[in-house]
Amino acid sequence: MSAGIDLENVCCDFGTFRAVDNANVSIKPGEFFSFLGPSGCGKTTILRMVSGFIEPTEGAIKIGGKDVKGTRPNQRPTALIFQNLALFPLMPIWENISFGLEVRGVDKATRRARAEELLKLVDLPGAADKMVSQLSGGQKQRVAIARALAVEPSVMLLDEPLSALDLKLRQHMRAELRAIQKRTGVTFIYITHDQGEALAMSDRVGVMSQGRIQQIAAPRDIYDNPVNGFVASFVGENNIFEGDVGAVSGGMAGMTGAHGSFRAKVSPEAQGKALKLYVRPEHTVLSKTKAAENSVEMEVTEVAFEGAFISVHGVAAGGKRLSAEVKNDGVTVVPGVGEKVFASFDAARALLLPDANVRG
Amino acid sequence: MQDLLRRYGTGLTTIFCLMVAFWILVLIVLPNFSMLFESFFPYLPVSELDGPKDVFTLQNYEKVLANPIETNWFGIPITIPIHVSTFVDTVFFSALVTFMTLVLAYPLAYFLAKVASPKSIPTLLLLLFIPMWVSEALRAFAWYIILTFNGPLNALLKGLGLIDQGIRWQNGIFTSYDAIVIVLTYCYVLFMLFPIYTAITSLDTNQIEAAEDLGSPWWRTHWRVIIPHAKPGIASGCVMVFMLSAGSLLVPTVVGSTKANWFPQTIYTWFNDALDWNTGAAYSMIFLLVCIMFVILAMRVFKVKLSDIAK
C-alpha cells in the first residue's frame, strides 16, 4: 500500500539557478518525513519533482523502487496537498473528495458512499453537500486531506498545508494529521518552514538550505546533535562564540577567543573546518559567581517572562548578545535588569560546528 | 451611491448620473420606443399622414409571413415565407459562427492564460490585435479577394496540389453561407477570445495541477475544472459573437453569395430601398425580440445566469 521514496543524486536547475543540489534521501514506507528549511531552500521543488510537475535535471526519483522518470503526475501513486489546498469551488464537498474516483470511472453511488466514509475519517460528517465556500479554514483542510486519501495514494505530499491556519487550529491539525497518518499507514512527505511543526510530527526530518540537504535525522537528533551551524540555528536559539580551536582529544576540543577559553564537543566530521561554538539558551546557566569553565560575564538587559520559563537576555564584553532560559520553578533565582551575572554551560552541551554546507 | 458622493462630491456625481441617464434614455430607450411606435403604423405618403389611413395596424408585422417560397433545409423540401427563411438561416448560421469562434478561441485562450510564458504574452496579444486595427470593411474586402475564384486561396491550394479545379468559395461548398460564416468567424473570434482568456486567467493554476495530481486526464480537467470556471466568460463571448453576427450587415453584403440572404440585409432593404421605415422598424423589432429569446433560451439550456455574464 504505502511506498518508499528514494532520491538519488537529484538536482534541479531553473536556468542557471540550481534549486536542488544533489539530494540523496531514502524515505521508508509508512514514514512521516519532513523537509524543513527557509523559503527558497528547494523543499517545494523536491515535492513537485516527486509529484511529477517538475522533472529533475539530474538523478533519479524512485517510488516503491520504480524509477518514475517521464511519468506524468496523473500516473503517479502520489497525492499532493497544496499550500492553498486548491479545492474545486464549483463542486460540492463530496464531488471534491470523490473527484479522483470519478476519474477512475467509479460509479456515482460508490463514490458518494466513499466520500461520506472519508468525511467521517477526517471528522467532518454531514458536510457532503456543502460548498467549499461554506467551510472554515480547518474544515477545508480536512476536505483536502480526504480528497487526497480518496485515491488511496502510496505517498501523500503535503506542501505547508497548515500555514494558513491560526495557531490553535494549527496545533490541533498537527495531532490530527499525525493520527491520520498512523491510521492509514501512508508515507507522508511534509514540507514546512516551521521547525516546531517538523520536530513535533515527523519520524525523521531533512533540514535544507540553499538547495542542499544539510542533515537527515530524527527530530531529537536534529535538535541535540545538529551537524552544522545552519541546522543548529534553524531549529532553535543559540549562544554563539568564535575563536581559535585547539587540539582535539576524546571528542572534545578547546576554543580560545575574545570571550575567554571554552571547551566543547566536536564531531570527527567537523574537525579541520572553520568552527564556531553553539550552546542553547536552555543549557546556559546563570550564577553570581564564575563557574569552573565555560563561563562568561554579562550584564542583564532584558528579562522576558514566557510562562514555563523566563528568558534572560544580556550583553557580554564587546557587545556580545547572550541569552539564557531560567526555569520558572520558583527555586531558581532570576536576575534583574542591570545585574552582572555569569553565563556558564556544561562542555558536554556545547558543540563546535562548521557553517552550512552550501555551494562555494 | 454614498460612496460615489463621498469620493466625487455632489457636482461631479450629478454630472455622472445625468450623462449615464442621457446615454441610456436618449440614445438607447427613446430610439427603440420610437421604432416600436412607428412599426405599428402604415407607410403612407406625406399627404396622408394623420389622415384616416394613419391608424394602428399589425400589417407591417404580417409582411414577414408573405411570399412563401419552396426551399430545402438539409435536403428536406419545405414551403416557407421568404423572409422567415432568411430569418431562420441568419439565426442558424450566427449560432454556427458562435460555435466556430468558441472552438477556435477556447484552446487559444487556454494557451495564452496558462501555457504561454508570461514574457511572450504582450507579443502574442499584439499579434492578435493588429488585424483589429484595420476596419471591418477592409477586412471583409480582404476576405472577398482571398475567396475569389482566381484569388490567393485557390492559387495556394492548387500550388500545393490539393485541388485541380478552383473552388467557388463564395457560392459555397456546404451551403451558400460558407463565405459569410468564414468571414464572420474571423471578424468576431476576438470577441470570444478575450472574455474566455480573462476567465481562465483568474483560475488558480493549482486547481489544474490538483486535478492532474488526482489522476485526471487533460480532457477531464478541462471538462470538470477549467470550463466550469470559464463558463461566465464563454457565455458572454457567445452572446456577443451571436448578436454581432446576427446583426452584421457589412460582411454578408461584401462576401455573401447571391443565394445567401442575411436578415439585416432584408431590414436594410426596407429602410433604404423601399424607404418604408415602418416595415423596417417592425422587422427590426421582430429580429431583436427573437434574438433575445434565443439567447435566453441558450442560457437556460447551458444553465448560465445573467449575473454570470455581467461579471
Side-chain angles (χ1 to χ4, degrees):
Chain A
M1 185 53 225
S2 69
I5 306 261
D6 295 288
L7 267 60
E8 293 171 359
N9 308 319
V10 171
C11 299
C12 185
D13 294 339
F14 296 119
T16 56
F17 174 70
R18 177 149 280 199
V20 174
D21 190 22
N22 204 27
N24 278 288
V25 56
S26 180
I27 298 165
K28 299 187 220 56
E31 192 173 14
F32 196 123
F33 190 96
S34 294
F35 282 104
L36 173 67
S39 65
C41 73
K43 56 193 193 302
T44 300
T45 309
I46 287 191
L47 203 70
R48 290 178 69 80
M49 284 194 289
V50 174
S51 56
F53 290 109
I54 306 175
E55 281 290 333
T57 316
E58 288 168 40
I61 295 172
K62 292 179 178 168
I63 300 177
K66 256 183 282 171
D67 194 331
V68 289
K69 190 176 168 58
T71 314
R72 292 292 306 155
N74 54 14
Q75 303 293 335
R76 293 192 185 196
T78 57
L80 177 58
I81 295 183
F82 290 79
Q83 192 166 4
N84 66 358
L85 306 180
L87 296 175
F88 306 127
L90 299 172
M91 298 182 200
I93 298 304
W94 79 270
E95 279 187 35
N96 258 284
I97 294 173
S98 65
F99 183 77
L101 302 174
E102 181 188 326
V103 166
R104 286 159 180 77
V106 177
D107 68 273
K108 194 172 168 180
T110 316
R111 275 190 279 137
R112 172 87 201 199
R114 183 80 182 118
E116 305 263 12
E117 216 172 279
L118 283 160
L119 279 171
K120 276 202 198 92
L121 178 79
V122 296
D123 203 15
L124 205 64
D129 290 309
K130 288 189 181 164
M131 295 306 279
V132 176
S133 56
Q134 290 171 282
L135 301 187
S136 69
Q139 290 173 324
K140 284 182 194 164
Q141 193 71 58
R142 289 156 202 258
V143 172
I145 294 164
R147 185 177 72 173
L149 285 172
V151 298
E152 300 185 352
S154 313
V155 181
M156 280 270 259
L157 306 165
L158 301 98
D159 187 3
E160 307 211 19
L162 305 186
S163 58
L165 305 182
D166 60 64
L167 182 68
K168 194 98 187 161
L169 197 53
R170 197 154 64 218
Q171 279 167 346
H172 178 68
M173 285 308 293
R174 267 187 208 176
E176 198 89 327
L177 269 180
R178 187 74 182 132
I180 290 169
Q181 196 259 341
K182 283 270 173 283
R183 237 177 291 163
T184 55
V186 175
T187 315
F188 270 44
I189 300 183
Y190 193 92
I191 295 291
T192 181
H193 62 263
D194 180 332
Q195 84 280 0
E197 227 167 80
L199 298 181
M201 294 162 82
S202 322
D203 293 319
R204 282 194 301 159
V205 178
V207 183
M208 292 188 71
S209 174
Q210 296 183 34
R212 286 201 182 173
I213 299 178
Q214 306 289 329
Q215 183 172 11
I216 297 169
R220 203 161 168 176
D221 250 359
I222 294 276
Y223 192 83
D224 289 341
N225 301 305
V227 296
N228 61 41
F230 174 81
V231 177
S233 305
F234 199 78
V235 297
E237 298 298 318
N238 295 278
N239 292 318
I240 304 168
F241 297 98
E242 289 169 45
D244 300 319
V245 180
V248 180
S249 78
M252 305 293 278
M255 174 186 250
T256 311
H259 298 92
S261 293
F262 303 107
R263 218 162 55 84
K265 285 207 292 186
V266 62
S267 69
E269 300 86 58
Q271 289 171 25
K273 294 181 188 162
L275 301 175
K276 285 179 193 154
L277 190 149
Y278 291 80
V279 62
R280 302 246 180 247
E282 68 267 29
H283 296 145
T284 305
V285 199
L286 300 178
S287 57
K288 283 280 179 196
T289 50
K290 194 172 164 85
E293 62 167 357
N294 296 343
S295 205
V296 182
E297 193 183 22
M298 70 171 195
E299 190 187 327
V300 176
T301 54
E302 194 194 339
V303 176
F305 181 70
E306 304 273 359
F309 63 90
I310 294 148
S311 187
V312 180
H313 300 273
V315 184
K320 179 94 190 159
R321 290 177 177 281
L322 300 174
S323 59
E325 281 171 15
V326 178
K327 253 190 263 163
N328 185 17
D329 54 5
V331 181
T332 318
V333 182
V334 182
V337 174
E339 252 183 83
K340 295 222 166 164
V341 291
F342 288 93
S344 322
F345 52 88
D346 185 351
R349 297 293 198 174
L351 297 168
L352 287 166
L353 299 172
D355 284 341
N357 168 23
V358 292
R359 281 157 73 81
Chain B
M1 195 68 198
Q2 286 292 325
D3 199 38
L4 214 63
L5 274 171
R6 191 155 30 84
R7 199 177 292 178
Y8 299 108
T10 325
L12 263 183
T13 307
T14 313
I15 292 174
F16 286 155
C17 291
L18 283 177
M19 271 159 49
V20 172
F22 176 81
W23 181 41
I24 292 177
L25 289 174
V26 180
L27 301 181
I28 297 175
V29 176
L30 211 64
N32 273 294
F33 267 103
S34 155
M35 286 242 290
L36 185 67
F37 183 76
E38 290 297 329
S39 71
F40 291 111
F41 290 91
Y43 172 51
L44 297 168
V46 181
S47 56
E48 291 183 41
L49 283 181
D50 297 324
K53 281 187 185 169
D54 199 359
V55 289
F56 182 88
T57 172
L58 288 173
Q59 71 178 44
N60 295 330
Y61 287 89
E62 283 157 10
K63 282 183 198 157
V64 85
L65 299 173
N67 305 319
I69 52 150
E70 290 191 11
T71 179
N72 75 80
W73 281 346
F74 304 104
I76 306 159
I78 51 161
T79 306
I80 188 171
I82 182 161
H83 291 160
V84 174
S85 166
T86 305
F87 189 91
V88 172
D89 282 349
T90 303
V91 171
F92 175 81
F93 286 106
S94 295
L96 182 66
V97 169
T98 309
F99 177 74
M100 303 259 292
T101 51
L102 177 59
V103 168
L104 286 173
Y106 178 81
L108 187 57
Y110 175 73
F111 175 82
L112 287 173
K114 292 294 169 197
V115 183
S117 80
K119 267 190 225 156
S120 63
I121 296 290
T123 316
L124 291 171
L125 290 183
L126 189 70
L127 285 173
L128 287 167
F129 263 123
I130 286 173
M132 297 288 278
W133 295 350
V134 178
S135 86
E136 194 180 316
L138 284 178
R139 280 183 289 150
F141 274 113
W143 272 100
Y144 175 82
I145 294 165
I146 292 169
L147 296 175
T148 46
F149 188 66
N150 289 318
L153 183 60
N154 278 338
L156 179 75
L157 292 175
K158 271 193 234 168
L160 290 171
L162 294 173
I163 53 170
D164 306 326
Q165 289 288 311
I167 295 172
R168 294 199 181 273
W169 296 100
Q170 271 141 357
N171 291 349
I173 309 169
F174 305 106
T175 69
S176 46
Y177 287 88
D178 286 0
I180 297 177
V181 171
I182 290 170
V183 179
L184 284 178
T185 302
Y186 167 79
C187 282
Y188 297 137
V189 71
L190 291 191
F191 288 92
M192 186 65 92
L193 179 76
F194 284 108
I196 302 180
Y197 168 69
T198 313
I200 298 181
T201 309
S202 70
L203 175 67
D204 177 10
T205 307
N206 280 350
Q207 294 212 356
I208 301 172
E209 290 186 342
E212 192 181 0
D213 188 63
L214 291 167
S216 176
W218 64 270
W219 58 266
R220 192 186 286 274
T221 307
H222 278 277
W223 184 245
R224 290 285 275 140
V225 178
I226 306 169
I227 292 177
H229 180 87
K231 207 159 91 172
I234 293 172
S236 57
C238 285
V239 170
M240 257 198 284
V241 170
F242 178 78
M243 285 308 223
L244 284 171
S245 301
S248 177
L249 175 64
L250 193 129
V251 170
T253 308
V254 174
V255 301
S257 73
T258 46
K259 285 187 211 149
N261 291 309
W262 211 245
F263 202 72
Q265 290 177 303
T266 310
I267 297 173
Y268 177 82
T269 312
W270 281 116
F271 272 104
N272 207 57
D273 298 342
L275 292 174
D276 180 352
W277 287 29
N278 304 76
T279 307
Y283 273 48
S284 299
M285 283 297 140
I286 296 174
F287 192 54
L288 183 66
L289 214 67
V290 177
C291 283
I292 288 172
M293 273 157 57
F294 183 82
V295 167
I296 290 171
L297 189 76
M299 279 164 61
R300 278 278 166 80
V301 170
F302 293 106
K303 297 200 178 86
V304 182
K305 288 192 214 84
L306 199 62
S307 55
D308 290 341
I309 295 176
K311 273 183 216 163

